[in-house]
Amino acid sequence: MNGAGNVSDVSAANGVYDHGADTASADIDSQILQALEVIHDPRSSNSIRQKASEYLEQIRSGQEAPYHGFALASAKSQPAIIRHYGLSLLEYAICYRWTDYTIEQSTALRNWVLHLSQHVIHEDPLFIRNKIAQLWVETAKRSWVLDWMNMDELLVEMWSDSVVKKELVLTILETLSDDTFGHEDTAASLRGTDLNKACVEIFTPAAVLIEHFPTRETNINVRYGEEGWLSRIGNVLDWCSNSKHDEEQRQICAVKAMSTLKSVIGWTIPRALVTSRCVERICECLAVSNLSIQLAAVDALCALYTRSRFTDDDFRDLVSPMYRVETIKLLQRLYEWSVVDSANIEEDKYLISKKFSEMMFNVGRLLEERPSMILHDTDLAGFFQLLLSIVRSQSLHVSIPALHIWVKILHSETIGSSPAVTSLIGDLLEICSQRLVRYEALPDDSSNPSIIFLNEDVDTTPERHAFLGNYKRFCKEVVEIIVQKQPIDGLYHILGQADHILDHLYDGQPAFQAHDYSKTSVPLLRLDAHFSVMEAALKGFAKWLSLQGNHETEHEQDVMTSNLENWCYRLLRLTFEDPLIKERVIQLACEFATGPLKRKSQFAFKVFEHILETSCYDEPNYNAYSDAVKELQGFCFHQLQRLAIRFPDQLITVYDELERKISDLCHTVALDEQTRMRYSSVLFIIIHRATTMDPKPREARLESFIHPIVGQWQSSELSDSLSSFEGFSELLGLGNIQKYLSARNVHRIPDWSSHPLDDEGKSIQSQMQDALEVSSYSIIVAVNWTYKGPATSFTVYEDDFERKRREDGSWLAALYSSGMLGLLTKKKAWKLRINSYAHSFYDSSNWSSLPPDMGSTVRRVLTDRFWQVGISSGSRDDFYARVGGTRVTLEGFASSIRATIRAVRETAYRLLYYMSLLGEHFYSYQELPGPLSHALFTNACALSTHQLAILVEMVRQIIENCPILSRSHFLPPILAGLFTQLDRKASAEWNKIEERNRVALEDDNLADEMRDESILRQLTFTSVMMVVNLLDPQRSNPPEPEIQLEVSSDDSTKATCSTDASMRSFILQNPEILKPVILFCTHALRMRDTRSCSFITRVLRSLVSEFIGTTTIDVDVREFISTEILKACITSLHDPYFVELQKDLAQLIATTVIMYSARTDTPRQILLSLPEMTSEKVDWAVLRLMKAQSNSRQQRALVLDLLDGLRGISISEQGKIAKADPKKVRSAMQERYMTVDVQSNEKKKGSPDLGGVADMFG
């Protein structure tokens, strides 16, 4: 752009063109038209179309581009697509070349935009008008309040013109508001607070500004008139409602006005909304019989009541009117009108219902937070009745916001006990009881209206499960609170319903048959739903009991608990054939025993006895039924151990009887070794935890459990088996599998699941199963006894275990003195060999008996089959059915191999974890860390991604359990080995996925690829969260146990380890750990998982300030961050995949430059090495960054502006795909309900989850 008769020509800027005087320009315009015609002509060849595109790109980059753009855009005779291209030329000039222009040139460019805006007519297509409005805003972000002071006056002039001009002004105002306050817009952020102040100035009535900011600067006047845009927009809403002419145009204008209010209403001064009567005018629009206007009005009210800060006066004027009688009636009519039938879902009306429910949530939230502000002329009874009506909606998406606010209201001491609320409690309890059915168990084609709506609202299975989980949680909370408030009436009502369900469980349903067993049968779902209600009620009743401290209610409590006990005895006398119904009965009985009836020891013994006697005859031919029987057996063991942990002193009194019953059971029923050991563990728990037993008999009993285990570890057979990998393979029955696989040429068989297993294969398979039960469980699981006592004692009740360890270390001392720990200390190499051998199976080099061409067979044999929510086809039950159907095939043979190896590997992990609970007795062993790290991580990369994720979770627990005094010698080799392998494995797997995506073929198995990528994301996120936990600046050290036994350790080690040092400080001061950790973080910036990358940027940002000193570590790490991490950030910033993380990446870059520029020139040199980067641009950006140290938004904007030509853009920005339909875009509240609410789930610290991915392996 040279300014000669072009941009600098003001007459041209005013629209006076003489194209005949400039033949060259006319020829260029003609060529542009021809090129556009070629591109949009479907008959054009690809080569010609490509040449036309190259020509247009050349035009856009030329100096004359804005002139040609204006010429094309202002020629109304041209097709709209041609005019739009002209506007895009202007947009490019404004957005990317504005700083290159002189004042005269930028003024001319702005005048062209003004000319286009002032000549907008109704016949112009909407996308042309919107583009012109966008150009206005882009110009305003760069020159308004700088050299353009009359923008507001020009807007007011257009406002007084036609309706289409009003729409244009509203679009300009809305876009300007969004870019200034709502979006992370680079151009707006670079202006600092100038645009914010100017927007407040022009929107707010002058009187309100004088009242709120009496001392504000008035030297620079950017506003025009006293009204302000809020008043003008309110007036236009009145005009749209009252005028009878041009109804369609008025409706469009009203919707646009409301959309603008929605954008502004979140940041404007509340008093300005009051003086402009915005709430009153928006509510009037709710009564207009037009879907678009009503939806826009609800959206605007949602935006207003999402605000959390209102002064008392503002609350009275803006919020209280929503509770008045006339408003409630209006809202009730609107909601009733918006209800749609599941058989005919009208999209617009249904959208209003969902938005309306969200709006009511926010209105209810404000009521719950400020009940004292409610005036006397309100209709709270009508308001709560409306909330109840919304909860009743057949659409769970409409219902859930109202259900959520009911939870808050019931929790409120003021509102929750008001007559308006208590009068509705019965109806609310009934609704929540009905909604606790397991909707996820119903088929997708169910005629249930809630399922039909759910299919409309939710696209993926994970979202469905998360949403239903949240809905179920809210229902349970409502039941819990109601019973807590009204325990007698509530519980008796729920018990009465339960009696009715139990008496009519199979009404209308066929009798139970094992051959067509289903885990989603109607009777089971009925029982499960109401038992869920009862479990929630028991929590509420327990809270009520805990708050009763006076003698007046003792009789009432005794009567209630006695009635509950009688009801439970009746429940236990009922007989059922369905294994899962038996399971639910036991589960509920245990909830009673450990809850309101915990003081009834006789009842606990009755439940214990009932579980022992519970059994189902297995039918192996019926897979579904057989799986349910096995599930019941496992659940019974779990509950027996749970009761043993909770009632050891009560059960020890009948120990001999229990021992006899268990002995009889073991002799009368053919039980395998694992099952017998589980029953014995129950007896072990009782003795181990009983406090009323004399010490010597107790120790003698414990020794009777321990001595056989010691003997097993001392056996020469075990020693020989663990002396080599081949011996270990023989021990597990895996010695002949390589020979068998090679002899059968399995690598040439494409479909193993359809290839039947021969007799030799069946024999080997049987040997593996026997070896797994006899050898693996009798040795490894037996060792677990020593440390964990009962398995479930630590896995499920670890908090209880930790408490007991702190309160009384005597049992630990007894165990330590027994010699078992000393024995295992000597044999610890064997234990480490188990871990090492378990990993060695996954290294194909250890399968040396197989020919070289069968390398892929090893991976195929060891690749777990599993079902994953949202990825795998079919349901989980379908998956189990498929796995069960291949048991006697070659695939079943492979499944037996990996099941054996997996059981050994994960049992070894558990053993390590339980050993770590011994504290200093484990961690102070000086020779342990190096060999342990070698055993765990040498072959870790050979594991699959989900197998490695299991290892990471186990190691995380071991790291967290490490006492502070043992960190210096124990953690360095463990953490260094872990993150070295994690970095290697994750980087390699992500590289594989990127390479596969580059050479994707049509016949690729997309389901497998999606599964692999999903599991890799899980591993990446698990690893990243470990980094977050280790380097969290807010994390304090865990409490040390009060009981410290004497153990030999290196006193010098203790002296060098500060008990006050956090884990973060420990890692940052230890180069051996810091190097692999920070290297993993660097590579994680390039791993294509936005969630993980986002966390890593925050971690790295917190580390930057730690290395500003002069020590060797500080200098080395500072240089690494200034080079490698900065390069990784810039590379990801360039990648379109990370477009949503550009804010995080830019903030990390800005923090690095600000903190390190004064100490090293490296960040500047890295930036200068980028293409087309000049020292002037870099130095100017660094200078601005140093001045904006307190404004993070401006910092990000400066970095994004500096790297503008390098950063990636989204696919939708590139125009390759259309942006999402706004009607289909979920609100923030809807998104929140689609995710697991972590804070709501009071998760206890537990032992590592060693079940793999959803425990669904084959």
Side-chain angles (χ1 to χ4, degrees):
M1 186 184 297
N2 55 26
N6 297 325
V7 176
S8 61
D9 188 343
V10 179
S11 63
N14 289 327
V16 182
Y17 283 95
D18 183 1
H19 293 279
D22 193 343
T23 306
S25 295
D27 290 342
I28 292 176
D29 290 345
S30 175
Q31 293 171 6
I32 291 174
L33 293 176
Q34 292 176 15
L36 289 170
E37 289 173 356
V38 167
I39 290 174
H40 292 94
D41 188 347
R43 295 169 297 181
S44 301
S45 65
N46 289 335
S47 60
I48 295 177
R49 185 177 286 110
Q50 182 177 358
K51 290 180 180 179
S53 299
E54 292 173 355
Y55 173 75
L56 293 178
E57 182 65 28
Q58 181 182 358
I59 291 295
R60 190 183 73 164
S61 304
Q63 294 290 325
E64 309 294 331
Y67 169 79
H68 298 300
F70 177 68
L72 293 173
S74 59
K76 294 188 180 293
S77 60
Q78 294 290 351
I81 194 68
I82 305 296
R83 296 179 61 198
H84 189 271
Y85 174 76
L87 293 173
S88 69
L89 292 180
L90 289 171
E91 179 186 24
Y92 185 83
I94 295 170
C95 294
Y96 300 103
R97 306 188 65 179
W98 185 269
T99 55
D100 298 334
Y101 297 150
T102 64
I103 294 178
E104 292 79 9
Q105 290 173 327
S106 59
T107 301
L109 192 54
R110 182 173 68 236
N111 287 338
W112 282 342
V113 174
L114 297 181
H115 174 87
L116 292 171
S117 302
Q118 291 161 349
H119 289 79
V120 162
I121 58 176
H122 177 66
E123 288 71 24
D124 288 332
L126 180 60
F127 69 91
I128 293 290
R129 285 180 269 156
N130 288 341
K131 193 70 172 180
I132 292 173
Q134 182 184 348
L135 294 182
W136 182 298
V137 174
E138 293 297 338
T139 304
K141 288 186 294 190
R142 290 162 176 80
S143 64
W144 185 36
V145 198
L146 294 175
D147 59 352
W148 183 17
M149 307 303 297
N150 68 334
M151 186 189 82
D152 197 40
E153 180 181 357
L154 295 172
L155 290 174
V156 173
E157 288 178 3
M158 287 197 296
W159 183 258
S160 60
D161 204 327
S162 62
V163 176
V164 73
K165 294 283 183 64
K166 284 184 172 62
E167 293 175 25
L168 180 69
V169 171
L170 289 168
T171 303
I172 291 171
L173 293 172
E174 180 184 358
T175 308
L176 181 61
S177 169
D178 286 342
D179 287 356
T180 304
F181 293 95
H183 302 157
E184 191 84 8
D185 184 85
T186 302
S189 300
L190 287 172
R191 294 290 304 278
T193 60
D194 290 347
L195 288 180
N196 303 56
K197 293 177 180 178
C199 285
V200 173
E201 183 81 23
I202 67 171
F203 274 94
T204 310
V208 177
L209 280 176
I210 294 172
E211 176 186 351
H212 278 72
F213 306 106
T215 60
R216 81 185 197 283
E217 294 183 10
T218 56
N219 297 332
I220 302 176
N221 186 21
V222 296
R223 67 179 294 131
Y224 182 79
E226 299 294 314
E227 286 182 291
W229 282 107
L230 280 175
S231 296
R232 295 188 188 104
I233 295 172
N235 292 335
V236 85
L237 284 178
D238 288 340
W239 173 78
C240 291
S241 300
N242 299 326
S243 177
K244 302 300 181 183
H245 303 289
D246 300 325
E247 183 175 353
E248 182 180 355
Q249 280 298 106
R250 285 188 295 103
Q251 289 175 354
I252 295 173
C253 190
V255 171
K256 198 65 194 173
M258 228 100 60
S259 180
T260 306
L261 280 178
K262 176 188 174 183
S263 173
V264 172
I265 216 165
W267 56 261
T268 192
I269 302 170
R271 186 50 42 183
L273 298 174
V274 176
T275 58
S276 57
R277 298 174 47 242
C278 281
V279 173
E280 179 183 341
R281 285 161 162 166
I282 294 173
C283 286
E284 289 173 355
C285 290
L286 293 175
V288 176
S289 57
N290 180 277
L291 280 168
S292 299
I293 293 178
Q294 290 170 320
L295 179 58
V298 172
D299 266 339
L301 290 175
C302 264
L304 172 60
Y305 296 122
T306 301
R307 294 181 64 148
S308 56
R309 295 180 182 179
F310 290 101
T311 65
D312 290 350
D313 289 341
D314 294 335
F315 189 97
R316 182 187 65 246
D317 295 329
L318 293 175
V319 182
S320 291
M322 298 300 291
Y323 311 116
R324 290 175 182 162
V325 176
E326 60 274 13
T327 309
I328 296 299
K329 289 181 179 178
L330 171 63
L331 296 176
Q332 183 74 45
R333 289 197 302 271
L334 176 61
Y335 172 69
E336 291 173 354
W337 171 84
S338 69
V339 173
V340 297
D341 191 336
S342 61
N344 180 27
I345 301 177
E346 299 177 55
E347 186 176 305
D348 289 335
K349 289 179 68 175
Y350 185 45
L351 185 58
I352 289 179
S353 282
K354 290 189 284 188
K355 292 285 186 181
F356 182 87
S357 181
E358 291 183 30
M359 185 264 291
M360 292 299 294
F361 169 86
N362 287 313
V363 175
R365 174 184 58 82
L366 293 170
L367 170 63
E368 182 266 332
E369 292 173 355
R370 307 274 289 275
S372 61
M373 293 301 301
I374 302 305
L375 303 178
H376 296 294
D377 60 342
T378 55
D379 180 19
L380 290 185
F383 177 76
F384 293 132
Q385 187 66 55
L386 175 56
L387 285 180
L388 187 67
S389 299
I390 300 173
V391 172
R392 280 200 179 98
S393 172
Q394 292 179 328
S395 167
L396 302 186
H397 270 72
V398 174
S399 173
I400 193 169
L403 181 63
H404 189 181
I405 196 57
W406 267 114
V407 173
K408 293 179 175 291
I409 290 170
L410 291 172
H411 271 301
S412 172
E413 295 182 2
T414 305
I415 300 295
S417 301
S418 65
V421 171
T422 56
S423 64
L424 302 176
I425 277 182
D427 292 335
L428 191 59
L429 180 60
E430 189 68 26
I431 295 170
C432 291
S433 299
Q434 294 171 357
R435 295 286 171 85
L436 276 172
V437 65
R438 283 194 291 128
Y439 288 102
E440 62 271 21
L442 299 180
D444 290 343
D445 58 354
S446 170
S447 59
N448 186 303
S450 294
I451 295 296
I452 296 174
F453 281 114
L454 203 59
N455 293 336
E456 175 75 14
D457 294 317
V458 185
D459 297 324
T460 66
T461 304
E463 288 179 335
R464 173 183 290 231
H465 286 178
F467 173 80
L468 291 174
N470 286 323
Y471 196 93
K472 191 172 185 178
R473 175 170 58 86
F474 291 142
C475 287
K476 287 183 175 181
E477 285 190 60
V478 169
V479 174
E480 179 182 331
I481 300 167
I482 290 175
V483 173
Q484 181 182 349
K485 289 178 176 290
Q486 300 183 7
I488 298 176
D489 293 340
L491 263 181
Y492 283 149
H493 175 74
I494 291 171
L495 289 176
Q497 287 183 322
D499 286 334
H500 179 78
I501 292 292
L502 291 169
D503 292 339
H504 303 276
L505 193 58
Y506 280 89
D507 284 5
Q509 300 296 318
F512 179 83
Q513 295 290 337
H515 67 273
D516 60 351
Y517 182 76
S518 171
K519 293 183 178 181
T520 58
S521 66
V522 172
L524 177 58
L525 292 180
R526 284 176 182 170
L527 186 89
D528 177 75
H530 203 77
F531 277 17
S532 296
V533 176
M534 296 196 65
E535 287 163 352
L538 290 182
K539 289 184 179 180
F541 183 68
K543 289 183 178 179
W544 176 76
L545 287 176
S546 66
L547 297 175
Q548 304 306 306
N550 55 68
H551 296 289
E552 297 177 359
T553 60
E554 282 186 6
H555 176 70
E556 199 174 58
Q557 295 175 44
D558 292 341
V559 171
M560 282 293 299
T561 53
S562 177
N563 290 337
L564 289 177
E565 184 178 11
N566 291 334
W567 187 90
C568 288
Y569 278 126
R570 175 182 178 272
L571 175 66
L572 294 178
R573 287 193 294 269
L574 297 176
T575 57
F576 302 98
E577 296 180 81
D578 189 326
L580 295 188
I581 290 182
K582 290 186 176 184
E583 178 181 317
R584 282 302 274 128
V585 169
I586 291 173
Q587 183 178 3
L588 182 62
C590 288
E591 291 298 327
F592 273 99
T594 57
L597 302 181
K598 60 185 176 183
R599 296 180 182 178
K600 304 278 187 177
S601 57
Q602 188 61 34
F603 176 74
F605 176 71
K606 179 64 178 178
V607 175
F608 195 95
E609 189 178 43
H610 175 81
I611 298 174
L612 282 177
E613 295 172 353
T614 296
S615 63
C616 280
Y617 181 72
D618 195 4
E619 294 280 359
N621 294 329
Y622 307 138
N623 291 335
Y625 177 77
S626 180
D627 290 341
V629 171
K630 292 182 175 63
E631 183 178 332
L632 171 64
Q633 293 171 347
F635 184 79
C636 286
F637 290 131
H638 174 86
Q639 295 304 313
L640 286 173
Q641 292 170 334
R642 179 186 178 190
L643 292 174
I645 290 171
R646 187 62 64 91
F647 302 103
D649 291 333
Q650 292 83 356
L651 293 174
I652 196 68
T653 61
V654 292
Y655 180 84
D656 293 336
E657 183 180 352
L658 292 178
E659 187 177 35
R660 179 181 53 77
K661 286 191 174 186
I662 290 177
S663 178
D664 291 344
L665 186 64
C666 291
H667 285 92
T668 57
V669 181
L671 300 179
D672 56 34
E673 185 67 24
Q674 178 189 0
T675 305
R676 285 193 291 270
M677 194 168 295
R678 282 179 169 177
Y679 278 124
S680 297
S681 72
V682 176
L683 300 176
F684 182 94
I685 295 172
I686 297 172
I687 298 174
H688 164 237
R689 302 186 69 84
T691 60
T692 58
M693 192 174 183
D694 291 337
K696 289 193 177 297
R698 181 167 175 262
E699 290 176 10
R701 294 257 191 171
L702 289 174
E703 287 178 0
S704 68
F705 288 100
I706 293 174
H707 285 162
I709 301 168
V710 174
Q712 288 177 337
W713 275 93
Q714 290 175 329
S715 66
S716 59
E717 292 83 358
L718 177 61
S719 177
D720 294 340
S721 297
L722 295 179
S723 62
S724 66
F725 177 72
E726 291 75 15
F728 187 69
S729 300
E730 291 289 344
L731 177 69
L732 299 179
L734 301 174
N736 297 322
I737 59 173
Q738 297 186 48
K739 179 181 177 182
Y740 178 80
L741 294 173
S742 176
R744 298 301 182 277
N745 292 315
V746 296
H747 58 297
R748 297 194 176 99
I749 301 174
D751 184 7
W752 287 0
S753 61
S754 61
H755 190 85
L757 200 59
D758 57 24
D759 291 339
E760 182 181 355
K762 292 177 181 178
S763 175
I764 297 175
Q765 188 180 47
S766 177
Q767 292 172 16
M768 282 189 287
Q769 292 171 348
D770 292 342
L772 183 62
E773 292 179 0
V774 177
S775 302
S776 177
Y777 280 103
S778 63
I779 297 175
I780 301 177
V781 176
V783 175
N784 289 352
W785 272 46
T786 308
Y787 293 97
K788 65 181 178 177
T792 315
S793 174
F794 285 0
T795 56
V796 180
Y797 300 99
E798 184 186 335
D799 285 341
D800 187 47
F801 158 73
E802 291 289 352
R803 175 188 58 76
K804 184 171 179 62
R805 185 179 71 169
R806 289 194 296 269
E807 293 175 354
D808 180 12
S810 60
W811 70 272
L812 183 60
L815 185 62
Y816 185 72
S817 62
S818 70
M820 187 63 189
L821 187 62
L823 174 64
L824 288 183
T825 298
K826 297 175 184 177
K827 304 292 184 180
K828 203 158 277 195
W830 294 0
K831 167 67 196 72
L832 299 183
R833 285 176 193 170
I834 294 174
N835 283 282
S836 180
Y837 293 156
H839 288 177
S840 296
F841 281 109
Y842 297 91
D843 186 349
S844 57
S845 64
N846 291 316
W847 295 61
S848 54
S849 298
L850 293 179
D853 61 341
M854 291 188 68
S856 61
T857 302
V858 177
R859 292 190 296 273
R860 188 174 175 185
V861 167
L862 298 179
T863 299
D864 289 310
R865 292 181 295 175
F866 55 88
W867 181 86
Q868 187 180 10
V869 174
I871 301 296
S872 303
S873 59
S875 66
R876 182 172 58 178
D877 292 338
D878 295 337
F879 168 78
Y880 280 135
R882 287 196 301 272
V883 171
T886 61
R887 287 174 182 168
V888 291
T889 66
L890 199 55
E891 181 60 45
F893 182 78
S895 181
S896 297
I897 296 173
R898 50 181 171 260
T900 301
I901 298 171
R902 185 171 63 246
V904 173
R905 187 186 74 247
E906 295 182 358
T907 306
Y909 291 169
R910 286 195 294 272
L911 173 57
L912 271 178
Y913 167 69
Y914 297 132
M915 291 173 73
S916 74
L917 295 178
L918 293 175
E920 288 289 351
H921 300 292
F922 174 75
Y923 290 97
S924 62
Y925 184 49
Q926 296 295 315
E927 292 78 14
L928 175 62
L932 178 59
S933 177
H934 182 271
L936 289 176
F937 306 126
T938 298
N939 291 308
C941 277
L943 300 175
S944 68
T945 49
H946 69 269
Q947 291 162 353
L948 185 57
I950 297 170
L951 173 61
V952 171
E953 181 62 20
M954 183 276 295
V955 174
R956 179 185 67 81
Q957 296 278 6
I958 290 180
I959 293 169
E960 290 184 351
N961 289 338
C962 180
I964 297 174
L965 294 177
S966 298
R967 283 177 180 172
S968 59
H969 90 275
F970 185 85
L971 290 184
I974 301 297
L975 284 172
L978 171 64
F979 280 100
T980 298
Q981 296 305 317
L982 280 179
D983 185 27
R984 178 183 166 194
K985 179 70 174 182
S987 298
E989 294 298 323
W990 279 112
N991 289 338
K992 287 180 184 177
I993 286 180
E994 290 190 34
E995 180 63 26
R996 188 172 61 194
N997 291 339
R998 279 195 292 268
V999 295
L1001 301 175
E1002 291 184 4
D1003 58 349
D1004 286 347
N1005 191 326
L1006 295 180
D1008 288 346
E1009 292 179 10
M1010 289 174 62
R1011 180 201 62 200
D1012 294 344
E1013 186 167 342
S1014 176
I1015 297 299
L1016 180 55
R1017 290 183 191 280
Q1018 293 177 24
L1019 170 65
T1020 305
F1021 185 68
T1022 300
S1023 306
V1024 165
M1025 290 312 296
M1026 175 178 279
V1027 174
V1028 172
N1029 291 331
L1030 291 174
L1031 299 180
D1032 182 3
Q1034 305 300 322
R1035 182 184 181 190
S1036 59
N1037 286 318
E1040 288 293 291
E1042 297 175 9
I1043 300 295
Q1044 290 292 336
L1045 302 179
E1046 291 296 328
V1047 268
S1048 66
S1049 59
D1050 188 351
D1051 292 336
S1052 62
T1053 301
K1054 289 186 178 182
T1056 59
C1057 184
S1058 170
T1059 57
D1060 295 327
S1062 66
M1063 181 68 80
R1064 174 187 171 95
S1065 300
F1066 171 74
I1067 292 174
L1068 297 185
Q1069 295 168 12
N1070 193 312
E1072 181 184 355
I1073 304 174
L1074 181 60
K1075 180 178 178 181
V1077 170
I1078 204 167
L1079 194 61
F1080 169 79
C1081 292
T1082 305
H1083 294 156
L1085 289 171
R1086 295 291 301 128
M1087 295 176 187
R1088 300 171 79 86
D1089 181 67
T1090 53
R1091 184 173 57 160
S1092 299
C1093 186
S1094 176
F1095 277 106
I1096 282 296
T1097 57
R1098 298 175 204 174
V1099 170
L1100 290 174
R1101 201 164 70 236
S1102 75
L1103 294 183
V1104 171
S1105 60
E1106 298 283 350
F1107 302 101
I1108 58 177
T1110 57
T1111 66
T1112 303
I1113 294 179
D1114 288 343
V1115 173
D1116 291 346
V1117 176
R1118 185 164 62 238
E1119 289 300 312
F1120 183 86
I1121 293 175
S1122 300
T1123 51
E1124 300 306 320
I1125 291 181
L1126 196 58
K1127 288 179 181 178
C1129 285
I1130 295 171
T1131 304
S1132 292
L1133 198 70
H1134 178 67
D1135 191 336
Y1137 178 84
F1138 295 98
V1139 67
E1140 294 181 0
L1141 291 176
Q1142 288 184 358
K1143 290 193 300 182
D1144 297 323
L1145 295 166
Q1147 190 64 63
L1148 177 54
I1149 295 172
T1151 303
T1152 304
V1153 172
I1154 291 172
M1155 297 299 297
Y1156 292 166
S1157 289
R1159 296 169 176 81
T1160 175
D1161 193 47
T1162 305
R1164 180 177 180 274
Q1165 294 302 321
I1166 294 296
L1167 292 173
L1168 283 173
S1169 67
L1170 299 174
E1172 300 182 7
M1173 194 66 69
T1174 64
S1175 58
E1176 291 79 9
K1177 289 177 64 176
V1178 172
D1179 293 340
W1180 178 85
V1182 172
L1183 180 63
R1184 292 284 304 276
L1185 282 170
M1186 301 303 288
K1187 292 180 179 179
Q1189 292 192 34
S1190 60
N1191 190 333
S1192 58
R1193 184 183 181 190
Q1194 193 170 13
Q1195 292 172 17
R1196 295 191 293 269
L1198 287 165
V1199 170
L1200 293 175
D1201 183 62
L1202 175 67
L1203 303 177
D1204 188 67
L1206 297 173
R1207 64 188 179 99
I1209 59 175
S1210 64
I1211 297 177
S1212 60
E1213 286 184 277
Q1214 297 172 20
K1216 295 181 180 179
I1217 61 172
K1219 292 187 177 181
D1221 183 354
K1223 293 182 180 180
K1224 297 294 184 181
V1225 176
R1226 292 179 184 143
S1227 66
M1229 183 178 293
Q1230 289 172 333
E1231 287 290 352
R1232 195 160 60 244
Y1233 292 138
M1234 292 288 188
T1235 56
V1236 177
D1237 190 348
V1238 178
Q1239 293 180 348
S1240 67
N1241 300 329
E1242 298 176 358
K1243 292 186 177 180
K1244 296 182 177 180
K1245 175 187 173 186
S1247 60
D1249 177 10
L1250 302 176
V1253 181
D1255 292 326
M1256 299 170 193
F1257 291 100

